[in-house]
Amino acid sequence: MHLSYRARLILYNFILFAFSFLLIFFCVFQGTSYYYINQTKNLLMEISRDSSLYISQELKTINDDSTLENRFISNSLYLSHSISATESTRTLLYDVNGILIADSSTLTTSASLDTEVNLSRSQNAPVFTLKQINNTTYAYFTAPITVDETLIGYLGFVYSLREMDVFLSHVAFFMWLSGSLALFLIVMLSFRFASNFIRPIKDLTKISEEINEGNYNLAIYYKHQDEIGELTKAFNVMITNNNNMIIQLDSERKRLAGVLASLDDGLLALDQNGNIITSNRYIKTYFNVTSPKSIYDFQYQSFLRDIFDRLKNGKDHIQEEIDCNDRNLLLIGSPIREKGFEENYMIIIRNMTAAKHIQDEQRKFISSVSHELRTPLTTIIGYTDMLTRRQVVDPEILNRSLNTINREGHRLLRLVDTLLNVNKFDKAEFDFKKTNLNIVILLSEVVEQMQIKASQSEVEINYRSEDLPEVLGDYDRLQQVFINIIHNAIKYSNPGDIIDVVSTLEDRHIIVSIRDYGPGISDIEQNRIFNAFYRVEEDRSRAPGEGGSGLGLYIVKQIVEKHDGQIQIESQVGEGTNIIVTLPILEELIYGGDKDETL
Ligand code: ATP
Ligand code: MG
């Protein structure tokens, strides 16, 4: 049978009470009976002594010749009545043979004293017994009667202990009554105490359940400093410690999640069964799978399952490149082995698209540079070979040859300069010597310088400008910016075209626009032409001596940005290109946004 703790507590109390009650009841009852009976015994002994004395005196006063025994027999009825009258007890007299000779009462229950008389006869001593007749206790007492040391018969008393019975029944009644009351009280109090005792245990259970449901911010309130108080205190400390530990673990988890999220690679950690232990956002970006639970959720990425299977089969390091959703991805798989833990696996997914693109660009650049270096070198070597072998003396041929060697030498120098510049930009050690400069003068000089090249290509450059405030900049570098842009414009213009160079002031910024009417640049290409080594089409401008490295606009952008400026492009294929350079004027740089506030 299953009993609740409370029921058991009440039952224990009940049993304890019942046991104590019965013990007390037994002691009181037995003690009282014993007291009464002892009293009665002593009383009857006394009566028997008095009666023996009385009989002896009475018999001595009777003067006849018969023996004491005969005198006793003949006067027995008288004697029994007088003793009974004095002592208020039924008195029976027996002869020496134990035969009843007188009974002070007319009741017929006398025969029941025969056993006691016979006992007294055999032991020659008083005998005291108790008998229960009709729900009343009777004390039966017999004793030998001796006169002058001669046994003359036996004396018997039947003494009612009704008084004791009544007293004991009253005692029993009151004890049962008080016992029942006490039992009722005990049960009630037990209920109450049990509830009190059990409340903290119930609280503990409730709080444990809440903790199971993930609510850790709890405590039990118990005011007493007893054992339960100790338990609740220990429990509260445990909850606090657990809570702190959970907060710590949570923050560790968040930090780890932050680290994983900020990783630039996709990450997939898997257990032995292919369940995902952790992953980061790139998994969705790369494979378009939201919240995957297992490696088998990657239905269309069999390469991931393949890596997982190989790792599981004991391969230590896997590295392979795949193309997926227009991306070039490098997959690196390795096992995670930690002492005491089962082996897990990690797959890192690195997006190599940009790197690959740069690699491609660099490859193109190297082949382009090699080509560019080779062309002038071949020409130079060709001419010098010819001059040394043939020993040319014709001044015209000699002159033309030396001119070509010189031009190609300059072309080589230009290329090497550009490469050195790019290298410096990449190392961020490019040295700017900024001064206050007039952009109109700077542009006029550049345009004039470029006119020669323009006229060679049968292109006309028009420069217009209003009066402009000064800018703070590196004169040579800014010249390089506009030379590069105008050079491009000339390169991509058709003979007879015009190039418009216009500089204006707009919103405290100098805007320089270089507009040509060449082939234009598509929207997609517009985003790329400022990248290093990027060229739209390898051969588009390969007019003799006009090859490019794809570095011109990259350098332009670097210089403009280092002057806090911007470069934009407006172009449509077939309609020409407009490159717009924006530079802050000197005051803008000095006062910045403050000027607005003072206005
Ligand atoms: P470099 O300037 O290093 O000698 P490049 O002129 O080829 O070589 P960039 O100046 O960086 O390199 O230009 C990048 C690409 O942008 C060019 O290859 C060209 O295809 C395109 N481009 C630049 N300017 C124009 C323009 N005005 N019209 C059409 N295409 C242009
Ligand atoms: Mg260029």
Side-chain angles (χ1 to χ4, degrees), residues 483-485 487-489 491-492 548-553:
I483 288 171
N484 273 350
I485 298 171
H487 191 201
N488 280 347
K491 266 204 289 188
Y492 298 105
S549 56
L551 291 169
L553 287 180

Side-chain angles (χ1 to χ4, degrees), residues 343-354:
E343 188 175 271
N344 292 324
Y345 310 102
M346 181 166 71
I347 302 176
I348 287 175
I349 302 109
R350 188 162 296 160
N351 187 358
M352 301 296 285
T353 320

Side-chain angles (χ1 to χ4, degrees), residues 15-277:
I15 291 171
L16 200 68
F17 171 77
F19 182 74
S20 323
F21 176 76
L22 287 176
L23 194 73
I24 293 168
F25 189 81
F26 176 79
C27 289
V28 168
F29 215 78
Q30 286 302 314
T32 313
S33 310
Y34 177 78
Y35 172 77
Y36 259 97
I37 289 162
N38 215 29
Q39 286 284 90
T40 309
K41 201 175 170 183
N42 289 340
L43 182 74
L44 289 175
M45 289 288 275
E46 213 171 298
I47 293 173
S48 106
R49 263 196 311 273
D50 290 351
S51 299
S52 285
L53 208 63
Y54 169 72
I55 290 169
S56 145
Q57 280 168 359
E58 280 296 308
L59 290 182
K60 280 179 187 169
T61 54
I62 300 168
N63 248 338
D64 70 36
D65 295 334
S66 57
T67 60
L68 270 173
E69 194 188 337
N70 285 339
R71 267 184 262 163
F72 170 63
I73 294 168
S74 51
N75 293 294
S76 59
L77 202 61
Y78 155 72
L79 286 170
S80 70
H81 277 285
S82 51
I83 292 169
S84 173
T86 347
E87 303 296 344
S88 331
T89 180
R90 185 177 173 184
T91 309
L92 296 101
L93 294 175
Y94 294 83
D95 67 8
V96 281
N97 298 316
I99 296 172
L100 181 70
I101 48 172
D103 186 351
S104 65
S105 165
T106 50
L107 292 171
T108 50
T109 50
S110 55
S112 54
L113 267 175
D114 292 351
T115 325
E116 285 78 14
V117 170
N118 286 334
L119 265 173
S120 278
R121 272 184 71 209
S122 61
Q123 293 170 4
N124 196 26
V127 170
F128 180 87
T129 56
L130 289 174
K131 285 200 178 154
Q132 197 81 26
I133 300 161
N134 298 334
N135 288 330
T136 309
T137 313
Y138 289 94
Y140 281 21
F141 183 86
T142 56
I145 310 165
T146 47
V147 178
D148 298 334
E149 292 178 3
T150 311
L151 178 74
I152 56 161
Y154 293 92
L155 184 67
F157 295 123
V158 176
Y159 189 84
S160 167
L161 287 172
R162 193 171 167 71
E163 199 188 328
M164 179 188 84
D165 286 342
V166 170
F167 180 75
L168 284 180
S169 73
H170 280 119
V171 167
F173 172 75
F174 282 110
M175 278 203 78
W176 281 118
L177 187 71
S178 56
S180 310
L181 259 169
L183 182 69
F184 175 72
L185 275 174
I186 286 277
V187 171
M188 293 309 285
L189 284 173
S190 294
F191 256 104
R192 197 157 168 72
F193 288 152
S195 301
N196 276 347
F197 289 141
I198 283 166
R199 194 179 307 129
I201 297 172
K202 279 192 164 175
D203 285 351
L204 283 173
T205 315
K206 208 169 130 204
I207 283 197
S208 305
E209 280 166 6
E210 289 218 27
I211 289 171
N212 271 346
E213 278 162 25
N215 184 3
Y216 298 101
N217 215 359
L218 300 162
I220 308 171
Y221 174 70
Y222 186 78
K223 60 182 173 184
H224 306 292
Q225 299 287 325
D226 51 18
E227 289 85 345
I228 299 275
E230 291 293 312
L231 177 69
T232 48
K233 213 189 283 174
F235 197 80
N236 283 342
V237 170
M238 189 182 79
I239 299 173
T240 316
N241 286 347
N242 280 358
N243 205 7
N244 288 343
M245 205 133 72
I246 285 161
I247 290 170
Q248 202 180 331
L249 283 177
D250 201 44
S251 75
E252 288 289 327
R253 193 181 56 80
K254 280 189 183 139
R255 205 166 341 162
L256 196 67
V259 170
L260 290 183
S262 60
L263 259 185
D264 255 357
D265 294 328
L267 182 122
L268 207 58
L270 302 156
D271 70 8
Q272 290 263 332
N273 303 318
N275 296 319
I276 291 172
I277 303 168

Side-chain angles (χ1 to χ4, degrees), residues 80 101 181 202 233 281 285 296 377 420 438 465 471 486:
S80 70
I101 48 172
L181 259 169
K202 279 192 164 175
K233 213 189 283 174
R281 68 199 155 101
T285 317
Y296 303 103
L377 277 174
L420 285 175
N438 188 327
S465 177
V471 296
I486 296 171

Side-chain angles (χ1 to χ4, degrees), residues 302-556:
S302 56
F303 45 84
L304 289 177
R305 292 197 297 277
D306 182 48
I307 291 180
F308 169 68
D309 287 341
R310 275 151 64 200
L311 288 172
K312 232 184 131 178
N313 289 335
K315 197 108 173 58
D316 251 2
H317 185 79
I318 299 168
Q319 188 162 335
E320 63 184 41
E321 266 183 56
I322 53 130
D323 285 319
C324 174
N325 299 338
D326 293 333
R327 284 194 189 88
N328 180 270
L329 301 178
L330 174 70
L331 308 177
I332 305 165
S334 52
I336 308 169
R337 289 188 189 119
E338 235 177 291
K339 231 176 166 188
F341 290 94
E342 66 167 16
E343 188 175 271
N344 292 324
Y345 310 102
M346 181 166 71
I347 302 176
I348 287 175
I349 302 109
R350 188 162 296 160
N351 187 358
M352 301 296 285
T353 320
K356 193 123 174 111
H357 180 73
I358 290 175
Q359 224 176 38
D360 287 349
E361 291 298 318
Q362 277 176 339
R363 211 170 289 137
K364 266 195 241 167
F365 165 74
I366 288 166
S367 74
S368 169
V369 167
S370 331
H371 180 82
E372 295 307 318
L373 290 173
R374 224 172 176 282
T375 316
L377 277 174
T378 321
T379 318
I380 292 167
I381 290 165
Y383 273 91
T384 45
D385 268 359
M386 180 195 79
L387 291 176
T388 40
R389 260 191 285 117
R390 290 201 200 155
Q391 301 198 332
V392 181
V393 283
D394 183 346
E396 199 187 325
I397 299 173
L398 206 61
N399 205 22
R400 223 177 33 225
S401 303
L402 286 175
N403 270 342
T404 311
I405 290 169
N406 184 275
R407 199 186 61 229
E408 291 304 309
H410 274 100
R411 191 171 145 185
L412 261 179
L413 190 65
R414 219 176 41 239
L415 193 63
V416 171
D417 272 351
T418 315
L419 287 174
L420 285 175
N421 272 348
V422 169
N423 199 29
K424 277 185 189 170
F425 273 127
D426 286 348
K427 285 183 180 167
E429 59 183 35
F430 204 85
D431 193 18
F432 283 90
K433 292 181 202 83
K434 288 188 181 171
T435 51
N436 297 358
L437 56 89
N438 188 327
I439 206 86
V440 183
I441 299 172
L442 184 142
L443 276 169
S444 306
E445 275 179 25
V446 170
V447 169
E448 198 185 322
Q449 204 181 314
M450 297 307 287
Q451 285 295 5
I452 308 155
K453 194 168 272 297
S455 58
Q456 281 170 359
S457 303
E458 295 170 49
V459 175
E460 195 184 315
I461 308 175
N462 285 334
Y463 173 51
R464 291 194 310 280
S465 177
E466 54 191 76
D467 268 355
L468 295 174
E470 287 186 321
V471 296
L472 182 71
D474 184 314
Y475 201 88
D476 292 340
R477 297 296 165 207
L478 285 179
Q479 269 205 336
Q480 193 184 354
V481 165
F482 296 113
I483 288 171
N484 273 350
I485 298 171
I486 296 171
H487 191 201
N488 280 347
I490 297 169
K491 266 204 289 188
Y492 298 105
S493 289
N494 299 312
D497 277 356
I498 294 173
I499 294 169
D500 285 319
V501 180
V502 181
S503 53
T504 51
L505 180 69
E506 242 176 65
D507 194 20
R508 298 206 299 278
H509 281 79
I510 285 171
I511 318 279
V512 183
S513 132
I514 299 102
R515 171 100 176 77
D516 68 60
Y517 298 90
I521 306 164
S522 71
D523 286 351
I524 303 167
E525 304 295 345
Q526 282 176 29
N527 295 324
R528 299 177 181 163
I529 56 169
F530 293 104
N531 294 345
F533 315 116
Y534 189 81
R535 305 190 70 231
V536 177
E537 288 164 33
E538 286 303 311
D539 306 319
R540 197 162 67 170
S541 70
R542 275 292 150 80
E546 292 297 350
S549 56
L551 291 169
L553 287 180
Y554 170 74
I555 293 171
V556 163

